[in-house]
Amino acid sequence: MPRRGRGRRRVTARRRTMAQFLFEADLQGLLKLDTPIPNAPPARWQRKAKESGPGPSPLGVSPMKPANRSHSSSKTPSKTPGKSGSKIQSTPTRAGGDRYIPNRSTMQMDMASFLLTKENDPAEESPTKKEQQKAWAVNLNGFDVEEAKILRLSGKPQYAPEGYQNNLKVLYSQKMTPGSSRKNSRYVPSMPDRILDAPEIRNDYYLNLIDWSSRNFLAVALDNSVYLWNDVSGEIIQLLQIEHPDVYVSSLSWIKEGNYLAVGTSNAEVQLWDVQQQKRLRNMTSHCARVGSLSWNSYILSSGARTGHIHHHDVRVAEHHVATLAGHTQEVCGLEWSLDGRYLASGGNDNLVNVWPCAQGGSGDISPVQTFTQHQGAVKAVAWCPWQMNVLATGGGTSDRHIRIWNVCSGACLSSVDAHSQVCSILWSTNYKEFISGHGFAQNQLVIWKYPSMTKIAELQGHTARILNLTMSPDGTTVASAAADETLRLWRCFEMDPIKKKEKEKANSAKPSIIHQSIR
């Protein structure tokens, strides 16, 4: 009994081990997807193979991999290039096809390539047909369609015909207007910093009645008197008053050092005044008509008269009249020496601009190096560029209304802009690459221009009558404008950065006067 029991236990243990092994083998077989599932329904491709009759045996073929099988009974719609028959075509029976992509051997690839390349080739049309199509396009669209193409995928790019103007250019390529869309433009105050009364100032386009000294004194000529206004203290001093009632002051000009003031009068005199002593040093008479313009070049004082002559006065000597420049036939209303002292620019009522060399001689010995005749009106506004010594800006009167920039070495006109109003005065900024112009009717405004682009930066309005003269403060930040409305307006339009301002003050340290104690 004990032995039989042990034998039965061993057999039972073996059977259990065998059953467990078979169970694990079946489980591993089920987990393998590439082996056929026993007692499972046949696959779809196996059913189709049985229904289609005898054929190659599909045994041993996995349903997850493509196989070479017949599709003679299935039909797939297909478009064939160049065929006009039925749109339904049987799927190719040749082995190696795909149920999603037809067999490429049945496609007319040569025909398809020919049709595609033919579309890109230029059509061979007769000249008559081309002209007819062009006429139709011009009548319907207002322009030739072939000439209006903006994109081209092949070949050389097409260019616009000569003289063609794009209508959209106004929208997308117009220059930016002042203060409206310029991102990097600086702030310019639109209101004057101060307004001063200027009663009885003469409303005469040809006179130069204000000037600002390097010592910060603003000189203003009011009829027969000259007043000095101290910008620092606000003090007002009456420097002189002409006793004769019919004589008036016609021009003013400070020497560079700011201690002497030259005064031109309507009775052809040129007076020299010491501001500190408030007394007249000398009276120079050489003209025979009123002196409307004055300009200093070191110890040489140049004066322009109504006769059209320009006289050079050496204020150090008793015989002051050292040269005469005869280049104008009418009154000289604009006169300015260049900063380096090499050239003298003069503008006259004869619409001429003359550029004279720095040479001394007798009458008729000096001739201008350049004469500009493009202005159509009197030229009063003349100004030299402070950073380009050979560049001159001029402005014409009511008949001209243009601002022109010249290169006095080559004689070329660098740029010209229509100001749309009388140009009374021009001043270059010493802090920015800009200049400002004063105008008459109809806006009576000041305009700040960017150089060399000649675009407007700002317009300063406030005067109710035409502007007569402009002058600039010694630090270059403020512009004073005198107008026929009997007011002086001070505009802080060239305010400097504080750091740059300190650097400029150190560079422009005060220098002693060259002609101090030398005037007789």
Side-chain angles (χ1 to χ4, degrees), residues 106-326:
T106 59
M107 293 184 179
Q108 299 181 2
M109 302 300 292
D110 295 337
M111 176 62 71
S113 177
F114 169 74
L115 293 176
L116 290 174
T117 53
K118 186 178 180 182
E119 292 180 358
N120 296 329
D121 293 340
E124 296 181 0
E125 299 177 353
S126 62
T128 307
K129 189 174 181 181
K130 288 183 178 180
E131 293 177 359
Q132 189 177 17
Q133 290 180 350
K134 183 176 181 179
W136 289 346
V138 172
N139 292 331
L140 292 175
N141 304 320
F143 56 88
D144 189 3
V145 177
E146 292 296 327
E147 295 178 356
K149 288 182 178 179
I150 60 174
L151 293 177
R152 192 176 181 89
L153 299 179
S154 61
K156 295 182 179 180
Q158 293 182 341
Y159 298 96
E162 185 177 358
Y164 171 75
Q165 294 292 334
N166 187 358
N167 295 331
L168 298 179
K169 187 176 181 181
V170 178
L171 294 177
Y172 298 107
S173 62
Q174 187 178 13
K175 293 182 179 179
M176 292 185 289
T177 56
S180 59
S181 57
R182 293 183 63 85
K183 296 181 179 179
N184 296 327
S185 62
R186 59 185 182 85
Y187 170 72
V188 179
S190 59
M191 300 298 293
D193 184 62
R194 188 171 298 182
I195 301 177
L196 304 175
D197 290 329
E200 298 182 2
I201 190 169
R202 299 189 70 89
N203 184 9
D204 194 329
Y205 174 79
Y206 302 97
L207 306 184
N208 295 272
L209 303 178
I210 61 173
D211 198 17
W212 209 324
S213 74
S214 58
R215 299 190 178 185
N216 221 354
F217 279 91
L218 178 61
V220 183
L222 302 178
D223 195 23
N224 61 348
S225 303
V226 174
Y227 292 87
L228 305 180
W229 177 72
N230 191 331
D231 184 24
V232 178
S233 63
E235 181 185 6
I236 298 176
I237 303 172
Q238 184 177 3
L239 181 64
L240 67 95
Q241 183 176 7
I242 300 175
E243 297 178 356
H244 199 286
D246 296 332
V247 179
Y248 56 88
V249 178
S250 54
S251 57
L252 297 174
S253 181
W254 287 98
I255 196 171
K256 181 180 179 182
E257 290 74 20
N259 51 347
Y260 300 120
L261 177 66
V263 179
T265 63
S266 60
N267 61 346
E269 293 181 355
V270 178
Q271 302 178 7
L272 200 61
W273 285 77
D274 187 339
V275 177
Q276 292 178 348
Q277 303 295 328
Q278 296 186 22
K279 70 175 185 178
R280 189 177 67 181
L281 298 179
R282 64 183 306 176
N283 188 19
M284 298 176 288
T285 57
S286 59
H287 292 286
C288 57
R290 74 174 181 183
V291 180
S293 55
L294 296 168
S295 182
W296 286 89
N297 181 19
S298 185
Y299 52 84
I300 297 295
L301 174 62
S302 300
S303 58
R306 200 169 196 171
T307 57
H309 293 115
I310 301 171
H311 290 180
H312 289 335
H313 309 272
D314 189 342
V315 298
R316 303 172 302 173
V317 297
E319 298 296 329
H320 56 86
H321 185 197
V322 294
T324 299
L325 308 178

Side-chain angles (χ1 to χ4, degrees), residues 353-369:
V353 177
N354 288 322
V355 179
W356 307 88
C358 179
Q360 299 182 10
S363 301
D365 295 338
I366 304 175
S367 59
V369 295

Side-chain angles (χ1 to χ4, degrees), residues 408-422:
V408 298
C409 294
S410 63
C413 181
L414 303 179
S415 58
S416 175
V417 61
D418 188 356
H420 302 290
S421 61
Q422 180 187 55

Side-chain angles (χ1 to χ4, degrees), residues 393-461:
T394 59
T398 307
S399 302
D400 182 71
R401 305 183 304 275
H402 277 74
I403 297 175
R404 290 179 168 88
I405 310 296
W406 310 91
N407 186 327
V408 298
C409 294
S410 63
C413 181
L414 303 179
S415 58
S416 175
V417 61
D418 188 356
H420 302 290
S421 61
Q422 180 187 55
V423 183
C424 306
S425 184
I426 294 176
L427 294 176
W428 290 88
S429 172
T430 56
N431 300 334
Y432 300 95
K433 295 294 190 292
E434 301 166 1
F435 66 89
I436 187 170
S437 57
H439 300 272
F441 182 81
Q443 299 295 328
N444 307 315
Q445 81 280 27
L446 290 83
V447 181
I448 300 177
W449 305 84
K450 188 72 176 177
Y451 181 80
S453 62
M454 301 298 289
T455 56
K456 288 184 180 180
I457 295 178
E459 290 191 10
L460 308 178
Q461 298 182 356

Side-chain angles (χ1 to χ4, degrees), residues 32-35 43 45 60-67 69:
K32 292 182 179 180
L33 299 178
D34 56 348
T35 57
W45 61 273
V61 180
S62 173
M64 299 300 294
K65 297 180 181 179
R69 49 189 182 273

